[in-house]
Amino acid sequence: MKAKIRDTEIYFDIDGCGLAVEEQGIREKPVAFIIHGGPGVDHTSYKPCFSPLSHHLQMVYFDHRGQGRSARGLKETYTLENRSVEC
């Protein structure tokens, strides 16, 4: 999936449901954002390791701008002010 964030499109993938059905009712699972390392890589190398945690967490993987399946955009926009995800 892709999301339009500022001036680019960021690719993201989600493992696991956001809700869990339990005897007491439905509860919301915690969300974990999996952020890949430096330039030239994407999120796919993390999936085999982290996907088993999707039974307990909702896992959100994303590719930084210009990496993996995210849009490339102008190199001048690769700044800390334009980081992919805002906290």
Side-chain angles (χ1 to χ4, degrees), residues 42-87:
D42 66 6
H43 75 280
T44 56
S45 61
Y46 290 110
K47 287 196 84 167
C49 223
F50 287 105
S51 285
L53 294 174
S54 66
H55 297 290
H56 308 285
L57 306 165
Q58 185 176 46
M59 312 296 289
V60 179
Y61 303 87
F62 73 92
D63 293 340
H64 296 286
R65 71 175 45 225
Q67 304 297 310
R69 293 180 222 163
S70 289
R72 300 293 180 251
L74 299 171
K75 298 290 183 194
E76 298 81 42
T77 65
Y78 294 17
T79 65
L80 290 176
E81 290 78 22
N82 276 337
R83 58 193 178 269
S84 296
V85 175
E86 300 234 349
C87 301

